[in-house]
Amino acid sequence: MALLIKNGRIITATDDFVADIHVQGETISAIGTGLEDSAAEVIDASGKYVFPGFIDPHVHIYLPFMGTWSKDTWETASKAALVGGTTTLIEMCCPSRAEQPLEAFELWRSKAEGLAAVDYSFHMAVTKFDDESEAQLREIVSRGIASFKIFLAYPGAFGIDDEELFRTLKLARELGVIVTAHCENATAVAQLQGELLAAGKTGPEFHEPSRPESVEAEGVHHLMTFAELTGAHVYVVHTSCDAAVQAAQAARYRGVNAWIETVIPYLVLDKTYAERPEFEGAKYVMSPPIRDLRNQPILWDAIRNRLISTVATDHAPFDFGDQKTMGADDFTKIPNGIPSVEDRINLLYTHGVVPGKIDLNTFVDAGSTQAAKLFGLYPRKGAIQIGSDADLVIYDPDYRGKISASTQQMDVDYSAFEGWEIQGRPSVVTVRGEVQARDGQFTGTIGRGQFLARQPTHF
Ligand code: URP
Ligand code: ZN
Ligand code: ZN
């Protein structure tokens, strides 16, 4: 089957031009003006943008965490991603310390197979490092995983100690694997949590003071020290604040190969949301926490000047009704996470491109191309080039609508952005040449998503 997308304004990380795109089978076969194919389905993209499919490099779909499980399946998460313009997901594969990495990797893969409608890969979390897990990690890399994940937080669950950190980074350096990292000082968090609870400060508004900006910045600095010692390439996930960005930037000046991700909640929410009364604030509990408003323009500036490479979601959906309430008497027990895989691109466009905080090329770079480049998917993904997968988002900038839990595809009982207006949304979304979503509706095929085997690129 062929597709012919006519007269769209094609935006990549570097280009901006009006042309037609011809798709033959799963890939882009021609880009030019006046293209014809009488056998092709024609999509009129006049007055619309055509972006490469967006990539979310940080999502949790199957996540046993804090005594419960995150809500989405690969079916619901795929539908949500697609209507929102995201065509590739990279999920964190997060086993407990008790699980064997290879078994966990196969378990996480089995959750996606047959249900994914987007293409997908995993960052393999290293939650324990010993000789046996090292051998299994080598095997997992040979099976197409080119990135690890480590946690400097969540001790006893996913967190590793410094010996494990050092050895993980040494292995990654040898294998050319990039290490994505959650950076917070776990000891400081535990002490602060204890002090706050002892003082009777149990509500969700105390989550942020228990994990202040300095705790995150210290975690970033700690990671960077170990990256410097080992030569490993590192990627700081969900960077929330100026202090953490500065710690990463300082390491880059020293020559550390480090990249920075932020996530959409930090760009549009601030800590007052977690202070909302009647436990409403629990909807906004994630780690690192939503910060003071003064950080927002600094994060936007860092995206604009491309110091921050990627804008992901850290999608981690837990129902308000019976999961967030697990922490009704103790904020440390509120399952951490905010759902946003459906909303990332429309929020980034509405709050970034529309007011001029970032331009269209930066929007594509941060939402798609950088993730493809960093994680071994470029130019198959993240590009509009002949031979690239025909993952395309035809985006209608004239659409006006509202976000609501009542209409979302994500399987979670609230929206952190309830009632928010969006300006623009995907009109047509294709994955490898097939239309998977139109105008807010999933129209594709469950199970069509493919596992993307990746090669290490960080040598
Ligand atoms: O609060 C968060 N971020 N939940 C998901 C787990 C993680 O730390 O990424
Ligand atoms: Zn994290
Ligand atoms: Zn995460």
Side-chain angles (χ1 to χ4, degrees):
M1 180 63 187
L3 277 182
L4 187 56
I5 299 163
K6 297 285 289 178
N7 296 315
R9 184 170 160 197
I10 298 169
I11 312 283
T12 69
T14 48
D15 297 316
D16 181 346
F17 58 100
V18 175
D20 307 334
I21 298 174
H22 186 262
V23 174
Q24 189 67 53
E26 297 196 342
T27 56
I28 296 172
S29 48
I31 303 169
T33 49
L35 299 182
E36 299 291 343
D37 178 354
S38 55
E41 176 188 341
V42 177
I43 298 173
D44 180 12
S46 309
K48 300 193 171 77
Y49 299 118
V50 185
F51 301 125
F54 291 97
I55 301 170
D56 191 338
H58 184 167
V59 296
H60 302 273
I61 297 168
Y62 174 65
L63 179 67
F65 185 47
M66 298 185 73
T68 186
W69 281 265
S70 57
K71 274 297 301 297
D72 273 314
T73 63
W74 269 90
E75 177 170 348
T76 57
S78 291
K79 288 179 176 174
L82 285 163
V83 301
T86 296
T87 53
T88 298
L89 295 176
I90 310 183
E91 189 191 15
M92 300 292 174
C93 172
C94 294
S96 70
R97 283 181 78 86
E99 287 173 278
Q100 293 297 323
L102 251 180
E103 270 179 33
F105 174 59
E106 291 306 332
L107 174 64
W108 258 258
R109 275 198 70 168
S110 75
K111 301 282 178 192
E113 265 158 23
L115 285 184
V118 291
D119 286 352
Y120 58 92
S121 183
F122 303 92
H123 302 296
M124 186 66 216
V126 181
T127 53
K128 177 178 63 174
F129 196 100
D130 55 21
D131 292 345
E132 195 179 349
S133 53
E134 177 180 341
Q136 294 189 22
L137 289 166
R138 288 177 185 276
E139 174 64 23
I140 290 165
V141 171
S142 76
R143 293 188 192 181
I145 294 300
S147 45
F148 291 156
K149 169 74 183 285
I150 52 121
F151 292 87
L152 303 184
Y154 311 134
F158 304 137
I160 52 173
D161 65 27
D162 281 351
E163 180 185 333
E164 292 171 314
L165 173 61
F166 191 89
R167 293 183 68 191
T168 302
L169 293 182
K170 286 290 267 194
L171 178 67
R173 178 73 185 122
E174 179 199 325
L175 299 177
V177 162
I178 187 169
V179 180
T180 72
H182 176 136
C183 297
E184 289 180 297
N185 183 304
T187 309
V189 170
Q191 294 302 310
L192 292 169
Q193 285 177 332
E195 284 182 12
L196 287 160
L197 291 177
K201 297 177 174 175
T202 60
E205 68 273 29
F206 296 108
H207 178 70
E208 201 280 337
S210 77
R211 315 174 90 99
E213 294 174 17
S214 56
V215 159
E216 184 183 345
E218 199 286 324
V220 174
H221 178 71
H222 195 81
L223 174 77
M224 294 305 160
T225 303
F226 280 68
E228 201 166 5
L229 293 171
T230 58
H233 293 200
V234 292
Y235 172 96
V236 182
V237 300
H238 52 37
T239 309
S240 74
C241 60
D242 183 25
V245 171
Q246 283 192 37
Q249 188 177 19
R252 284 163 62 102
Y253 283 140
R254 301 200 299 274
V256 178
N257 288 294
W259 290 267
I260 308 171
E261 169 197 278
T262 191
V263 297
I264 198 70
Y266 302 137
L267 293 169
V268 295
L269 300 168
D270 66 82
K271 68 177 184 178
T272 60
Y273 285 85
E275 294 165 2
R276 288 185 166 185
E278 300 186 2
F279 200 60
E280 181 89 3
K283 293 178 179 173
Y284 300 93
V285 166
M286 67 176 291
S287 294
I290 306 294
R291 299 300 189 191
D292 187 279
L293 192 56
R294 78 181 162 74
N295 289 285
Q296 271 186 19
I298 294 167
L299 295 177
W300 282 111
D301 278 352
I303 299 167
R304 190 177 61 242
N305 63 35
R306 304 201 183 185
L307 172 60
I308 289 178
S309 297
T310 55
V311 178
T313 56
D314 194 14
H315 175 73
F318 297 98
D319 274 343
F320 182 62
D322 62 356
Q323 290 184 297
K324 292 283 187 182
T325 45
M326 292 163 65
D329 302 320
D330 175 350
F331 69 86
T332 69
K333 295 190 168 56
I334 299 169
N336 287 196
I338 297 180
S340 59
V341 72
E342 190 163 344
D343 306 310
R344 174 183 64 131
I345 292 306
N346 291 333
L347 289 171
L348 192 60
Y349 184 83
T350 301
H351 292 270
V353 176
V354 172
K357 291 176 186 159
I358 58 172
D359 64 22
L360 284 163
N361 299 118
T362 305
F363 170 67
V364 170
D365 201 42
S368 177
T369 308
Q370 281 300 318
K373 287 184 171 171
L374 286 167
F375 298 120
L377 294 170
Y378 189 84
R380 179 174 176 188
K381 306 291 190 188
I384 298 182
Q385 292 178 14
I386 293 170
S388 294
D389 279 358
D391 297 357
L392 297 166
V393 177
I394 300 163
Y395 199 83
D396 179 2
D398 296 325
Y399 174 81
R400 298 290 178 271
K402 282 191 176 167
I403 296 174
S404 173
S406 64
T407 52
Q408 72 192 7
Q409 305 287 330
M410 299 183 289
D411 181 23
V412 61
D413 68 358
Y414 77 100
S415 170
F417 317 103
E418 186 65 43
W420 287 30
E421 292 198 357
I422 49 165
Q423 301 186 34
R425 78 167 178 190
S427 173
V428 178
V429 180
T430 69
V431 177
R432 281 179 287 104
E434 281 192 20
V435 174
Q436 297 284 295
R438 279 185 203 268
D439 300 321
Q441 297 302 314
F442 174 72
T443 58
T445 311
I446 290 302
R448 189 169 173 273
Q450 283 182 359
F451 172 69
L452 300 166
R454 300 181 285 130
Q455 299 294 323
T457 55
H458 287 271
F459 292 101

